[in-house]
Amino acid sequence: MVDYSKWKDIEISDDEDDTHPNIDTPSLFRWRHQARIERMEEREREKREHERKKQETLKKLQETMKRVAELESSKSDTTDLNTLKKALLDLEKEEERIKKEEEELKKKEKLTPWNVDTIAQPGFTKTVINTKPARTDDDADLPDEEKEKKMKQFIKENEKKLKEYGMLRRYDDSKKFLQENTNLVCENTANYLVIWCINLEMEEKHDLMEHVAHQCICMQYILELSKQLDVDPRACVGSFFSRIQIAEVEYRKSFDDELRLFKERIRKRAAEKIAEAMKEVEEEERKARLGPGGLDPVEVFESLPRPLQKCFEVQDIPLLQETIAAMPEEEARYYMKRCIDSGLWVPDANKPKEGDEASEETTVETPDANKSKENDEASDKATTGTPDPE
């Protein structure tokens, strides 16, 4: 059954013809119409003011909640925390009050009679827009190896143009360039620009990195707009650059925040790659200096007792022999074997390679208590090897 109750109260000046003969009826209708328009404008101002207060309160509420969470997690000054909690409580009360006001406004608007300015509203509207090509992602199902192969081929064919786009500065120039080179509007371009940014940061070309990063974020925004609209990214080039050039404050702030975070990620990744490269170089150097027994001479030297370290530092063979003689036999054998395996001590370094090499036992042999035997062995050892300090 149709509900006709909404038609009961309609405020239309033109059907009020029971006016006094001395009153100019058209003028009266105009005055009433003007008064009604002013009332409608006042209600619109109230709605706008209410919406403004609502947005401001929500923003303050979110900021205060975030700040309270930060202070609670960091266990900061309780005085500031208590103040913020009190402010948060006040904002929550304000939010409730605004919700009640909003309900009152809706109720008031519902009870307002229709009039000649509001009774005729369009039942439906139709907008016709140009059909844009649908978005496709042909590489989504490809294996990683195939994707990498395609990207390398793409870079090989377009690297000069990719660098040209990365060096552009004006939005109009970037827009024109991409519209003339639509094949560059793709994920591979964004990936190339990310890699280029990392390399520039590693080369300490910080200003150039920040410029290329801006171009990279522009490309990523175009690709993101393509996903949101589900259209081919090439159809979003003009839309993005038109929007960014006349950007609202919030949109521009979002773009700048994303750019700042991207540059921070680039700096972090560049630092990680430099650390990884240095670690690889150090490992290569360590492997290159390994001794015949596979030990690192630097590590072995640092593990030696200080008296033995001093012997290798000054390259004093008699002092080395005296130090070895003063050590327990097992300990002396252990350290001298490590010195040989690392290349710090080279047995028979001054002898021809013909014949049998001296055994490890003779190299690390510790003299006994007989003084003359110590001197003889010291003399023999002095001619069989030289210390090789790191």
Side-chain angles (χ1 to χ4, degrees):
M1 186 175 179
V2 180
D3 180 14
Y4 293 97
S5 60
K6 61 183 178 180
W7 300 95
K8 288 182 179 179
D9 299 314
I10 302 177
E11 185 182 1
I12 302 178
S13 300
D14 296 339
D15 65 357
E16 300 173 2
D17 55 357
D18 55 341
T19 58
H20 194 275
N22 295 334
I23 296 177
D24 181 22
T25 302
S27 298
L28 177 62
F29 290 167
R30 284 197 299 272
W31 295 336
R32 288 177 177 174
H33 184 253
Q34 181 63 31
R36 185 168 59 246
I37 290 176
E38 290 176 357
R39 290 197 301 271
M40 290 170 61
E41 289 176 350
E42 181 62 28
R43 284 196 294 271
E44 286 298 318
R45 281 195 293 270
E46 287 179 4
K47 287 167 65 176
R48 288 196 298 269
E49 181 65 18
H50 172 78
E51 188 63 26
R52 185 187 64 80
K53 289 181 180 179
K54 179 181 175 182
Q55 294 300 328
E56 287 182 357
T57 303
L58 285 175
K59 184 178 179 181
K60 290 179 182 178
L61 185 62
Q62 291 173 356
E63 290 175 352
T64 306
M65 290 175 68
K66 182 180 178 182
R67 184 59 180 155
V68 168
E70 289 175 353
L71 289 176
E72 286 179 343
S73 61
S74 61
K75 298 180 180 178
S76 300
D77 187 8
T78 54
T79 304
D80 292 342
L81 183 59
N82 292 334
T83 303
L84 282 172
K85 284 184 176 180
K86 184 178 179 182
L88 182 60
L89 186 61
D90 293 339
L91 287 169
E92 289 174 347
K93 291 180 181 178
E94 179 67 14
E95 185 185 24
E96 289 297 322
R97 188 184 66 79
I98 288 175
K99 286 181 179 179
K100 290 181 181 178
E101 284 184 2
E102 189 170 11
E103 291 175 1
E104 290 294 328
L105 285 173
K106 288 180 179 179
K107 187 183 296 184
K108 186 177 179 181
E109 185 174 0
K110 188 176 181 181
L111 294 175
T112 302
W114 286 0
N115 56 61
V116 70
D117 298 303
T118 59
I119 194 170
Q121 297 293 339
F124 63 90
T125 59
K126 180 179 179 181
T127 303
V128 179
I129 60 173
N130 293 332
T131 303
K132 295 183 178 180
R135 179 175 173 270
T136 58
D137 193 356
D138 299 331
D139 297 343
D141 299 328
L142 293 177
D144 292 340
E145 296 80 5
E146 193 64 27
K147 288 181 181 178
E148 184 178 355
K149 184 178 178 181
K150 288 189 69 174
M151 182 174 174
K152 287 181 179 179
Q153 183 64 26
F154 174 81
I155 293 173
K156 183 179 178 181
E157 295 173 355
N158 301 284
E159 187 166 16
K160 184 177 179 181
K161 289 185 177 180
L162 290 170
K163 287 185 176 292
E164 185 177 349
Y165 166 73
M167 299 299 289
L168 294 175
R169 294 190 173 275
R170 297 175 65 248
Y171 285 127
D172 288 336
D173 294 338
S174 298
K175 176 182 177 180
K176 181 181 178 182
F177 184 82
L178 290 177
Q179 288 177 335
E180 292 174 354
N181 300 274
T182 55
N183 62 310
L184 300 185
V185 187
C186 62
E187 290 282 353
N188 285 336
T189 296
N191 294 337
Y192 173 81
L193 294 174
V194 171
I195 296 171
W196 190 14
C197 285
I198 294 173
N199 291 336
L200 289 172
E201 182 65 19
M202 292 174 66
E203 296 168 7
E204 298 185 353
K205 297 177 180 178
H206 308 299
D207 293 340
L208 185 55
M209 181 279 288
E210 292 187 357
H211 176 71
V212 176
H214 178 274
Q215 295 297 90
C216 182
I217 293 299
C218 286
M219 180 58 65
Q220 289 182 354
Y221 259 64
I222 293 172
L223 297 174
E224 184 62 29
L225 183 61
S226 161
K227 293 177 183 178
Q228 292 176 0
L229 301 178
D230 194 25
V231 296
D232 191 290
R234 292 171 292 185
C236 298
V237 173
S239 301
F240 165 73
F241 284 106
S242 297
R243 187 172 184 184
I244 194 64
Q245 285 179 291
I246 57 172
E248 297 176 355
V249 176
E250 289 298 322
Y251 187 80
R252 186 72 199 192
K253 184 177 182 298
S254 173
F255 182 89
D256 292 340
D257 287 344
E258 183 60 33
L259 176 59
R260 175 179 56 79
L261 293 173
F262 176 73
K263 289 189 285 190
E264 289 177 2
R265 292 194 296 270
I266 289 295
R267 295 186 186 101
K268 182 180 178 181
R269 182 57 186 148
E272 290 173 352
K273 287 181 71 69
I274 291 173
E276 290 170 3
M278 291 179 65
K279 189 175 181 180
E280 289 178 3
V281 170
E282 290 174 358
E283 183 62 21
E284 293 276 343
E285 291 177 349
R286 191 187 73 80
K287 289 180 179 178
R289 65 176 179 249
L290 292 181
L295 297 183
D296 183 356
V298 174
E299 294 177 2
V300 170
F301 179 81
E302 291 175 352
S303 69
L304 295 176
R306 183 55 194 159
L308 279 179
Q309 288 183 357
K310 185 177 179 181
C311 297
F312 284 101
E313 287 173 351
V314 299
Q315 301 185 35
D316 190 331
I317 294 176
L319 178 60
L320 175 63
Q321 293 167 346
E322 290 176 10
T323 304
I324 289 293
M327 297 173 66
E329 183 175 350
E330 287 300 321
E331 186 178 352
R333 286 179 180 276
Y334 169 76
Y335 283 119
M336 288 307 295
K337 183 178 186 308
R338 285 174 59 80
C339 289
I340 293 171
D341 289 343
S342 66
L344 279 176
W345 177 264
V346 183
D348 302 325
N350 296 330
K351 283 188 177 182
K353 293 184 179 180
E354 299 176 359
D356 297 334
E357 294 182 353
S359 65
E360 291 179 358
E361 285 77 16
T362 57
T363 304
V364 298
E365 182 180 3
T366 305
D368 59 21
N370 189 297
K371 184 65 177 177
S372 60
K373 188 176 179 181
E374 287 180 7
N375 293 335
D376 292 340
E377 288 179 356
S379 177
D380 291 339
K381 287 181 179 179
T383 61
T384 60
T386 56
D388 184 13
E390 178 60 21

